[in-house]
Amino acid sequence: MIDPQAEPQGARAEAATAEVWSLVLNWNRRDLCLECLASLRRTEVPADVRHRVLLIDNGSTDDSVAAVREAMPDVLIEALPENLGFAAGMNAGIRRALAAGADWTLLVIND
């Protein structure tokens, strides 16, 4: 479930001229997912870029979603009910990002 009120990473939303969404696909890789998301958090972006991170969880059964919600409440989450595979999972994330105004999407597999 995505929190549409969530703030983008960093405090740059007001001055943004571009919005980039990093889309991370996950399926039962909780620890790798957390490492990947932590790495994305350390990414430096230009001051005029708004950066959001969206986890697309492909129906994991290893509590990945709960772990991310607890450790990184600023990460947006699209929790799919089942494993839809790479293309359908990423397409769900791309649709969400574009609907929210993304100019660019970066597709990331956490492993």
Side-chain angles (χ1 to χ4, degrees):
M1 180 171 247
I2 297 173
D3 178 2
Q5 302 302 317
E7 288 297 314
Q9 290 185 323
R12 307 174 216 227
E14 293 79 24
T17 60
E19 186 162 310
V20 176
W21 284 50
S22 294
L23 310 177
V24 179
L25 188 65
N26 178 63
W27 183 65
N28 289 326
R29 300 279 188 192
R30 180 185 57 235
D31 294 339
L32 283 175
C33 184
L34 289 168
E35 288 178 38
C36 178
L37 293 170
S39 179
L40 282 171
R41 286 176 133 186
R42 292 188 301 270
T43 301
E44 293 185 28
V45 297
D48 63 340
V49 172
R50 180 182 203 181
H51 182 226
R52 290 188 174 208
V53 176
L54 173 64
L55 169 67
I56 305 129
D57 187 80
N58 242 343
S60 293
T61 58
D62 67 350
D63 295 320
S64 292
V65 171
V68 171
R69 281 192 178 123
E70 182 178 327
M72 301 174 189
D74 57 316
V75 171
L76 302 172
I77 299 173
E78 178 76 30
L80 302 175
E82 61 186 351
N83 186 347
L84 301 178
F86 176 82
M90 282 299 193
N91 282 338
I94 291 167
R95 281 192 297 274
R96 170 66 181 102
L98 293 176
D103 296 303
W104 297 90
T105 57
L106 172 66
L107 307 184
V108 180
I109 302 174
N110 60 7
D111 59 358

